[in-house]
Structure formats: structure tokens, C-alpha cells
Amino acid sequence: MADTALATPPETKMDPDRTMSAAAAATCDQIVDPAVYADQPKLDAAFAKLRAEDPLAWCEPENFRPFWAVTKHADIMEVSRQNKLFTNGEREMLSYKQAEEGVYAQFGQPHLLKTLVQLDDPLHFKLRHLTQEWFMPQNVKKREEGVRAIAKQFVDRMEDLGGECDFQQDVALHYPLRVIMQILGVPESDEPMMLKLTQEIFGAQDEDLNRNKKSLEDRDVEGGLASIQATLAEFFMYFTAITADRRANPRDDVSTVIANGMVDGEPIGQLEAMSYYIITAAAGHDTTSASTGGGVLAMLQDRDQLKKIMADPKGMSRTAVDEAIRWTTPVKHFMRTAQEDYELRGKTVKQGESLLLCYPSGNRDEDVFDEPFKFKVDRSPNKLISFGHGGHMCLGMHLARLEMQIIYEELFSRIKSFELDGDPTFIKANFVGGPKSIPVRYKF
């Protein structure tokens, strides 16, 4: 059953006296444009202008419901830590107004899924608690030997490719996928399907990755929504079979935990279970892939940083990982909705208004980071905000850090020379994205 019986999304209450500032008018359409996220200098310039001139900016971009753009690190933290006041359930991410209307018309609720991202407490806390133990530091540490064996396999694969490869396509995409699929209990033979479906969701705005291979200019919103639904249907079919198997034959994997999960003495609902599988399978590797490749690319573009990590792979990998995650910021935003009026940065955010938490901007905040536009493998401290903050902080962050640290240690302890062999490309996506292609040449 839907939580609400609405045919259309709730209208954002508009203050008749509220208008966009000059800075917002110049940048708000840019910070929602998927193509701009594939052009880092342009994105950095847009956010820098907002941070300097209107750090809490009222935005009314074309084809989207309005929102506040939260661009300062401190403000993102302030909103994120108050989960009762600023909630996820109404609007957790940017979505075209027409797509929102289509979802409401079909389902009477704002979301196609009910993952941890779309939920608020108390259900969010209860569902998060089901798998939390799997991703705690002490349990992640137990997987180090297995993760290192996988990392070595992929560095071996890179060596076998003979001195040239696409680091993103050949290594960074597949290594975290193998790790999370083992944790879920998905067989290696099904990994290509999992990768394809994940890219169709997170790459829905990119013509090379979406299901219909159409650009945003060539595709209507209704068709895009239908494509996402078709992809989710494939996920649902696959994990419905997994659920039946794990209930009949429990194993030591996360799929068994989800399949047999109980909340308040009752099995978790079908939509919640399917959503849990999907967020674990998709977000569990895509964001780590993006950060792994993004960090390598940054080092290839700054030879001094590359020399530092090659000279001391074990000593530098830990700080290099956090810097790669800050630099890439694979999750570009989440949204919150105010449950009551709130004063922030001298402005009144009214009840029912949405806030866009701009993580790439927070991770370039000049008040927090020394030389924020420079990649430093030894940056410390590093107050990156890529994992979020508060009750919705990334469940898999300890696993992501371990995976990246190990692949960096294995790669940079073996490779002798490493350089770009062409221009990198980036995914067009305003929600989750990173490098699409990193052509390289190297010697072991």
C-alpha cells in the first residue's frame, strides 16, 4: 500500500516576495544539469560563485521544483545532523517535475523504491540495524585477506593487458563489484548483469549508460521513467529468486540477512526487501568504483602526487583514499525537507521547503580545506563530507575505505611507470557519478 494517496507531488510553498539572487540565477540551472557534472572546472566555478555570493541560495531551475542550495560545509553538517527536523521521505534527490508527477500518478507516493535513502526513522533505523553489523569496522577488518586477494587478481589482470588499458573500465569498475557481490552472495557469473543494471540506474542521464542509449535531448521524461522502471523490474525478478533461495537455504551472506529480516516481529515488506538488495548491490560498488578511478586520475594529472604514493604505497594509501573520496565526491547530493521553519545563515527555510545538500561544494569549501582545488595524497586532517553525516551516514564507508586502500597498496607497490594515454571522460549525472573512461599506459 502507498503511504499517501496523492496524484501529484506536494507543491513547494512559495513566498511571493522570494526571488533568486543574481548568483543563483547564474548558477542554479548549472548545478542541476547532468552534463555540468561531467565538466569539473565548470561545476567547481558554479559552486564557488554560490559559496562566495549566496551560500544558501533559493533556486528555481527549469523543470524542477524549487529548493534551497546548501553549499557550505558547516551548513550541510548542520542540516544533516538534524534528522527529525530535516527529513528524507518527501524528496531525497533531484527529479524532474514531470517524472515526480508520473511516479505519484502511478503509485501515490514520491518514490519507486524504499531504500534507506528514502526512509526516515523509526523504520530507517530498524532496517539499517539489520545489516549494520556486517559493515562495522571490526567485521570489515575480517574481510581484509579476501579483499586483498581480489585486489591482487585485478592488478594481475592489469599487468596481463600488456601495458595499456582503460583503468576505469578494466579495473575500477569491476574490483568493488566483485567484493560487494561476494558479500551479497551473488555468483561471479551474474556480475555483468549487476553492473549493467546499476549503470542503467545511476547513469540514467548519460547516453552511453542508460537503458535506451539516448541523450537527455533525445529522450522524453516519460520514456526515461519507463526505462528506470524496466531496470528495477529486472532487479526485482533477480532478487525475488534470491529471497526464496535464502529462506530455504540460509547462508553466511547479506542476502540471507535481508531475505529473513524482521522488523517489529514481522518480515520486512517486499518493496523494502527488494529496495535493500538494490541499494546494497548498486551503491555498494558504483560509488567505490568512481572514487577509486577518480583518485588514480587525479594522481596521473599531478605527477608530484603520483611520485609520493609510488614511493610509499602503504604509508600514503590511507590518506590518499580519503582524498580520492573528497576529490571525486561520487554522491553529488541528497535532499531534505524542513518539517518546521528554521533559521539558517540568516534566512528562514519554511516548513515544507526542500534543501539540496551540495556535497561537491562542501568538499571544496575554502573555510575547511587548505588549497581545496588541489589533490593532496597526504592531506590531513581531511574533513570530507562525501559519506554524509548524522543518521544517514553511509553504511558502507568502512568497507569502501578498506577496498580502496588495498587496491592502492597493491597497485602502487608493483607498478613502475604510469601515465595517461588519452583524455578521460566523465559520466553525465547529477546524483551519482565519476570517471567513465581513464585510458592509461604503464609498466610493471
Side-chain angles (χ1 to χ4, degrees):
M1 288 288 292
D3 291 334
T4 55
L6 300 175
T8 59
E11 287 295 324
T12 301
K13 296 178 182 179
M14 298 284 287
D15 185 333
D17 298 324
R18 180 169 289 153
T19 58
M20 289 195 293
S21 67
T27 58
C28 284
D29 283 328
Q30 293 182 344
I31 66 171
V32 301
D33 185 350
V36 172
Y37 285 81
D39 184 344
Q40 192 66 46
K42 189 173 184 178
L43 183 69
D44 283 342
F47 280 133
K49 184 175 182 67
L50 284 174
R51 285 195 305 276
E53 299 179 24
D54 193 3
L56 181 64
W58 179 251
C59 286
E60 299 176 9
E62 187 177 1
N63 298 322
F64 295 86
R65 285 192 289 139
F67 56 83
W68 292 97
V70 187
T71 59
K72 293 291 288 182
H73 188 284
D75 297 341
I76 295 171
M77 295 280 282
E78 183 173 342
V79 171
S80 298
R81 68 169 65 98
Q82 300 182 78
N83 299 123
K84 290 184 179 179
L85 180 58
F86 298 105
T87 57
N88 290 41
E90 297 91 338
R91 189 184 186 190
E92 93 288 3
M93 60 177 284
L94 284 170
S95 185
Y96 294 101
K97 192 185 301 183
Q98 187 179 342
E100 289 183 323
E101 291 168 354
V103 172
Y104 267 90
Q106 290 185 58
F107 304 103
Q109 62 184 25
H111 314 297
L112 292 172
L113 295 173
K114 284 189 176 181
T115 72
L116 297 179
V117 169
Q118 284 94 13
L119 295 173
D120 296 302
D121 290 339
L123 183 56
H124 167 266
F125 175 81
K126 292 173 181 177
L127 287 175
R128 183 183 176 100
H129 187 70
L130 290 178
T131 62
Q132 186 165 335
E133 186 176 345
W134 273 82
F135 298 102
M136 295 297 284
Q138 62 269 27
N139 288 323
V140 167
K141 184 69 175 176
K142 294 175 184 176
R143 306 196 71 87
E144 180 172 351
E145 184 178 345
V147 172
R148 191 171 297 277
I150 296 171
K152 288 179 178 178
Q153 290 174 10
F154 279 93
V155 177
D156 289 345
R157 173 192 288 187
M158 188 174 169
E159 185 171 4
D160 292 341
L161 288 171
E164 293 182 1
C165 77
D166 185 321
F167 184 81
Q168 191 65 26
Q169 294 294 320
D170 295 322
V171 180
L173 270 181
H174 298 277
Y175 161 63
L177 177 68
R178 176 74 48 80
V179 174
I180 197 65
M181 291 302 120
Q182 285 193 359
I183 290 173
L184 266 172
V186 171
E188 187 175 332
S189 59
D190 291 340
E191 288 176 10
M193 179 187 67
M194 289 289 109
L195 178 59
K196 171 182 173 291
L197 296 178
T198 298
Q199 291 182 324
E200 288 176 3
I201 291 178
F202 289 144
Q205 298 164 322
D206 191 295
E207 61 269 24
D208 294 329
L209 301 177
N210 65 48
R211 192 176 184 90
N212 296 328
K213 300 297 185 281
K214 287 185 178 181
S215 67
L216 288 174
E217 294 77 13
D218 296 332
R219 188 182 61 173
D220 62 286
V221 174
E222 186 176 330
L225 179 58
S227 294
I228 290 291
Q229 288 178 277
T231 297
L232 292 178
E234 286 195 52
F235 265 128
F236 274 46
M237 288 177 61
Y238 183 86
F239 284 115
T240 295
I242 289 280
T243 296
D245 176 77
R246 294 309 194 274
R247 287 176 177 171
N249 306 289
R251 303 183 193 177
D252 184 24
D253 58 29
V254 167
S255 289
T256 297
V257 176
I258 297 171
N260 297 281
M262 304 282 285
V263 169
D264 295 333
E266 298 288 337
I268 62 175
Q270 173 77 352
L271 179 58
E272 287 82 359
M274 294 301 108
S275 300
Y276 216 139
Y277 288 121
I278 291 170
I279 196 68
T280 305
H285 73 86
D286 196 79
T287 52
T288 308
S289 298
S291 295
T292 299
V296 166
L297 174 59
M299 289 181 266
L300 292 172
Q301 292 174 326
D302 188 332
R303 306 301 294 181
D304 289 339
Q305 301 304 309
L306 181 64
K307 289 176 183 176
K308 283 183 180 180
I309 197 167
M310 289 180 69
D312 184 13
K314 288 196 177 293
M316 288 291 175
S317 286
R318 186 180 296 274
T319 52
V321 163
D322 272 7
E323 182 69 342
I325 297 168
R326 178 191 78 89
W327 187 256
T328 309
T329 316
V331 177
K332 309 306 178 186
H333 74 268
F334 279 121
M335 300 191 80
R336 300 289 189 266
T337 300
Q339 297 305 301
E340 59 185 60
D341 291 0
Y342 187 81
E343 291 293 316
L344 183 64
R345 202 163 280 274
K347 299 180 180 182
T348 300
V349 176
K350 294 190 174 181
Q351 180 183 4
E353 291 181 340
S354 302
L355 301 96
L356 183 78
L357 306 181
C358 303
Y359 299 128
S361 181
N363 276 334
R364 298 289 194 277
D365 192 335
E366 299 85 352
D367 291 339
V368 176
F369 300 97
D370 178 50
E371 295 184 287
F373 298 100
K374 181 175 176 59
F375 184 96
K376 299 181 178 181
V377 296
D378 54 356
R379 184 181 294 276
S380 182
N382 192 336
K383 297 180 180 180
L384 72 160
I385 202 166
S386 308
F387 293 119
H389 187 66
H392 284 271
M393 199 164 187
C394 176
L395 184 60
M397 64 180 183
H398 303 298
L399 177 63
R401 280 177 162 137
L402 177 72
E403 291 175 77
M404 290 180 62
Q405 182 177 341
I406 288 174
I407 193 71
Y408 282 1
E409 288 176 359
E410 294 297 326
L411 174 63
F412 292 113
S413 65
R414 289 173 55 181
I415 204 162
K416 298 296 185 285
S417 68
F418 201 14
E419 58 187 321
L420 281 170
D421 192 26
D423 294 329
T425 59
F426 298 86
I427 296 170
K428 296 175 184 175
N430 62 17
F431 181 42
V432 176
K436 186 191 301 184
S437 175
I438 307 175
V440 294
R441 59 177 178 266
Y442 48 86
K443 292 180 182 177
F444 279 88

